[in-house]
């Protein structure tokens, strides 16, 4: 059985001798930082808004930044936390001179992700050393579902940052030192975290904060006082009335049947929490006879609260963002104690399935779509209708080729170990995400974007207004792309119906053949 001192080491020099024999070098920090930078950079710019939340958020921000008064509640976001919208609107305003509004707003994601990763890394480094800190961050960016959802505007990212803040505050209180300043810092971090976790339930945010504060020692009781400064506004938002920034969303306990709950959780887990959840579960089972220290126990409590939040908030799949931070820390901590066989399995999937097979499929799909070499391009067009082949871009192709070659060189120079399995996994995910955004994102964007239908309508009606009692996402995006939407007395209107009771339709607009579009009519 491994020494419990593993849970108390504050640096590599305090780790067990078997690990201290392999010091952490600066070139590894550079490599790991480069992986994180590539993962963060791609997917932020060079594409239009995608459903679901992004199409509504950018329309609300556009209304907020317009000189005319706007009613942001028209898009159904009145019950969403406004703090995130205000942050995204700030970045959109600052970058308005050189970035489109939706691309500038996504910089709020970068800020929250960097903050969350920094908190997770600092929490792990404080208790377990710099090596575990990097493993925590790399495991977080290695989640399948996080790869896409972290780069689109959505209300889960503030919760990810808030949970990471709470974990850092708990790590400060769990430090083996007993300084009064730890209580001030830890209490401030825990209290601040509650303001970013309001998107699910104030009750869940309060429970996580109270559980973290329970870790404070008698020399750190100031943590309760500092945390109360932040938690009191949280309590106020739970009272009847409306807050301008920290408004709580309505909680709808729609658990449904047990089978439905299990099915929903399994679906989200299979896509969004791989490989964190399997690694954590296996690590807990393997070390079941070894007592966990205070910080890993708090991570388990936070994980349990995250699962509760997932269920009580209805059908919002993005609530799994509360699960990612504690799972990443637990997986990194327990990874050092599980057998090497598990790391070998992870390495196999990273090398052959994620890296080799998936990246090869992306390259093959790009070559086929660009030059129409083989018949599968017909299947691609059938399954993803509306896609338009963008012109060949030699710069993007060279960058994608360089990243692919760099990944191969990295694999050739790396041996086999649990740490390297994590690096290979995160490298494979980053490679797939980078190559996709360099070679294929324009194909996907052309079928998911509302830009083409909006431009078609503008060309047909000019400056005249259109009455559009249509779906919320359509209304938000047509308005965002410049279509003049108005009341029922507009000379044109949109309808899903085409029949004898309608005049002759001027045209039909749709994003792609898989989605029902709208017919444009002129009033007689």
């Amino acid at each position: 059985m491994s020494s419990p001192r593993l849970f108390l080491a504050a640096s590599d020099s305090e780790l067990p001798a078997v690990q201290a024999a392999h010091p952490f070098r600066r070139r590894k920090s550079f490599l790991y930082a480069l992986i994180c930078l590539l993962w963060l950079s791609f997917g932020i710019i060079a594409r239009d808004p995608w459903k679901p939340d992004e199409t509504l958020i950018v329309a609300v921000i556009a209304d907020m930044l317009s000189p005319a008064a706007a009613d942001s509640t028209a898009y159904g976001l009145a019950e969403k936390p406004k703090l995130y919208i205000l942050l995204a609107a700030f970045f959109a305003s600052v970058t308005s001179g050189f970035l489109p509004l939706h691309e500038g707003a996504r910089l709020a994601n970068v800020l929250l992700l960097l903050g969350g990763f920094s908190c997770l890394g600092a929490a792990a480094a404080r208790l377990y050393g710099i090596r575990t800190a990097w493993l925590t961050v790399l495991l977080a960016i290695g989640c399948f579902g996080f790869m896409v959802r972290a780069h689109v505007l959505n209300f889960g990212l503030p919760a990810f940052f808030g949970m990471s803040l709470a974990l850092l505050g708990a790590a400060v209180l769990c430090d083996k030192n007993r300084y009064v300043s730890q209580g001030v810092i830890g209490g401030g971090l825990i209290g601040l975290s509650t303001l970013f976790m309001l998107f699910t339930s104030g009750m869940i945010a309060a429970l996580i904060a109270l559980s973290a504060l329970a870790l404070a020692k008698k020399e750190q009781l100031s943590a309760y006082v500092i945390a109360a400064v932040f938690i009191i506004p949280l309590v106020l938002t739970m009272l009847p009335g409306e807050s301008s920034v920290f408004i709580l969303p309505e909680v709808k306990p729609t658990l449904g049947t047990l089978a439905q709950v299990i099915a929903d959780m399994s679906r989200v887990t299979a896509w969004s929490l791989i490989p964190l959840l399997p690694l954590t579960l296996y690590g807990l089972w393997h070390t079941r006879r070894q007592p966990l220290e205070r910080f890993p126990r708090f991570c388990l409590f936070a994980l349990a609260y995250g699962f509760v939040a997932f269920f009580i908030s209805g059908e919002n799949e993005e609530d799994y963002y509360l699960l990612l931070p504690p799972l990443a820390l637990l997986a990194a901590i327990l990874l050092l104690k599980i057998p090497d066989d598990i790391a070998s399995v992870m390495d196999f999937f990273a090398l052959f399935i994620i890296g080799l097979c998936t990246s090869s499929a992306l390259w093959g799909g790009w070559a086929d779509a660009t030059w129409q070499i083989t018949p599968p391009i017909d299947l691609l067009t059938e399954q993803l209708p509306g896609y338009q082949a963008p012109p060949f871009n030699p710069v993007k192709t060279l960058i994608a080729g360089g990243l692919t070659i760099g990944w191969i060189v990295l694999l050739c120079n790396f041996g086999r170990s649990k740490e390297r399995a994590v690096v290979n996994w995160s490298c494979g995910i980053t490679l797939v995400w980078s190559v996709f955004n360099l070679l294929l994102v324009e194909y996907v964007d052309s079928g998911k974007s509302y830009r083409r239908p909006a431009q078609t309508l503008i060309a047909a009606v000019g400056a005249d207004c259109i009455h559009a009692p249509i779906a919320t996402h359509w209304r938000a995006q047509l308005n965002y792309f410049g279509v003049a939407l108005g009341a029922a007395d507009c000379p044109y209107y949109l309808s899903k119906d085409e029949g004898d009771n309608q005049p002759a339709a001027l045209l039909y607009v749709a994003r792609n053949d898989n989605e029902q579009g709208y017919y444009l009519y002129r009033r007689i």
Side-chain angles (χ1 to χ4, degrees):
M1 183 175 68
S2 61
S3 171
R5 191 184 176 197
L6 171 65
F7 294 99
L8 300 176
S11 66
D12 279 347
S13 61
E14 298 182 19
L15 289 172
V18 64
Q19 294 186 37
H22 302 283
F24 194 86
R25 295 181 173 86
R26 289 184 178 180
R27 65 180 183 180
K28 285 188 176 181
S29 292
F30 175 79
L31 172 63
Y32 298 167
L34 179 61
I35 295 173
C36 297
L37 179 63
L38 290 173
W39 183 87
L40 276 170
S41 301
F42 289 101
I44 298 297
I45 62 174
R47 62 174 181 81
D48 287 334
W50 290 355
K51 290 177 65 176
D53 287 338
E54 197 166 43
T55 54
L56 303 179
I57 292 175
V58 296
V60 171
I61 295 175
D63 286 347
M64 291 172 59
L65 299 181
S66 65
D71 181 14
S72 62
T73 61
Y75 301 121
L77 300 182
E79 296 176 353
K80 294 292 186 178
K82 298 180 182 179
L83 183 62
Y84 176 62
I85 296 180
L86 291 175
L87 182 62
F90 168 77
F91 280 101
S93 177
V94 171
T95 60
S96 60
F98 54 92
L99 283 179
L101 184 146
H102 56 275
E103 295 180 3
R106 292 190 192 117
L107 295 179
N109 290 24
V110 177
L111 178 65
L112 292 173
L113 289 168
L114 284 174
F117 292 152
S118 299
C119 290
L120 291 177
R126 189 177 188 93
L127 299 178
Y128 312 115
I130 187 64
R131 190 185 306 274
T132 307
W134 277 115
L135 289 179
T136 301
V137 176
L138 292 176
L139 282 168
I141 71 174
C143 285
F144 282 115
F146 205 40
M147 176 179 65
V148 177
R149 299 304 298 164
H151 296 86
V152 299
L153 295 169
N154 63 85
F155 294 100
L157 288 171
F160 171 79
F161 177 61
M163 178 64 86
S164 301
L165 274 176
L167 291 168
L168 177 57
V172 171
L173 297 180
C174 285
D175 195 290
K176 61 181 179 180
N177 298 316
R178 294 173 178 266
Y179 300 131
V180 176
S181 60
Q182 290 178 231
V184 176
I185 297 173
L189 292 170
I190 294 168
L192 183 62
S193 71
T194 60
L195 303 182
F196 289 90
M197 288 189 286
L198 300 183
F199 84 112
T200 50
S201 169
M203 178 187 66
I204 296 299
L207 286 174
I208 293 173
L210 291 175
S211 300
L213 290 172
L215 299 171
K217 298 174 276 289
K218 62 180 180 179
E219 295 88 355
Q220 303 167 348
L221 295 182
S222 58
Y224 289 89
V225 179
I226 302 300
V229 175
F230 296 92
I231 296 177
I232 288 175
L234 167 65
V235 176
L236 293 178
T237 61
M238 300 174 68
L239 299 176
E242 182 179 356
S243 169
S244 60
V245 177
F246 303 115
I247 183 171
L248 281 172
E250 181 182 356
V251 177
K252 300 178 180 179
T254 55
L255 295 183
T257 63
L258 179 60
Q260 179 184 352
V261 171
I262 295 175
D264 289 344
M265 196 67 241
S266 300
R267 175 171 48 84
V268 174
T269 300
W271 171 249
S272 304
L273 302 179
I274 300 295
L276 295 183
L277 189 58
L279 281 176
T280 300
L281 291 178
Y282 182 81
L284 290 172
W285 178 83
H286 184 74
T287 59
R288 61 191 182 279
R289 293 189 176 91
Q290 303 177 29
L292 288 176
E293 294 294 319
R294 299 167 68 210
F295 183 72
R297 286 204 304 270
F298 170 72
C299 290
L300 286 177
F301 279 115
L303 188 61
Y305 294 142
F307 276 106
V308 171
F310 180 86
F311 290 129
I312 69 174
S313 58
E315 300 177 354
N316 184 10
E317 294 185 5
E318 291 166 1
D319 292 346
Y320 73 81
Y321 280 45
L322 281 176
L323 307 175
L324 283 174
L327 275 176
L329 280 164
L330 283 171
I333 295 167
L334 297 171
L335 184 67
L336 303 175
K337 308 187 78 174
I338 64 177
D340 293 339
D341 294 343
I342 296 299
S344 299
V345 173
M346 185 176 179
D347 215 11
F348 170 80
F349 278 93
L351 295 177
F352 292 98
I353 296 181
I354 296 179
L356 183 61
C357 298
T358 308
S359 61
S360 299
L362 290 176
W363 275 104
W366 166 80
D368 193 20
T370 303
W371 292 293
Q372 301 190 11
I373 300 174
T374 57
I377 187 60
D378 298 330
L379 178 62
L380 175 66
T381 305
E382 179 183 349
Q383 295 297 322
L384 305 174
Y387 286 13
Q388 300 172 353
F392 174 75
N393 191 318
V395 176
K396 289 185 177 181
T397 305
L398 286 175
I399 295 175
L403 291 175
T404 305
I405 294 173
W407 175 75
I408 296 174
V409 172
L410 182 67
L411 296 182
C412 293
N413 287 276
F414 261 36
R416 305 275 79 82
S417 70
K418 286 180 283 191
E419 178 182 355
R420 287 164 180 170
V422 172
V423 175
N424 290 340
W425 180 282
S426 61
C427 275
I429 291 291
T430 303
L431 175 68
V432 169
W433 181 240
S434 303
V435 172
F436 167 76
N437 278 277
L438 287 167
L439 301 182
L440 295 176
V441 72
E442 294 181 61
Y443 292 88
V444 177
D445 197 37
S446 65
K448 293 175 71 69
S449 173
Y450 295 80
R451 182 185 298 272
R452 188 160 43 86
Q455 291 174 344
T456 303
L457 289 173
I458 293 174
V461 305
D464 291 332
C465 68
I466 301 175
H467 179 52
I470 55 180
T472 304
H473 294 93
W474 270 88
R475 189 170 67 251
Q477 283 299 289
L478 292 183
N479 181 60
Y480 176 65
F481 283 117
V483 178
L485 301 180
D489 58 349
C490 288
Y492 296 92
Y493 66 95
L494 292 175
S495 175
K496 282 190 176 182
D497 299 325
E498 183 187 33
D500 297 336
N501 296 328
Q502 298 280 6
L506 300 179
L507 57 88
Y508 175 78
V509 291
R511 291 191 305 161
N512 53 63
D513 293 340
N514 288 335
E515 180 183 61
Q516 182 179 357
Y518 292 90
Y519 295 92
L520 176 68
Y521 296 100
R522 184 179 181 90
R523 298 188 186 278
I524 300 176

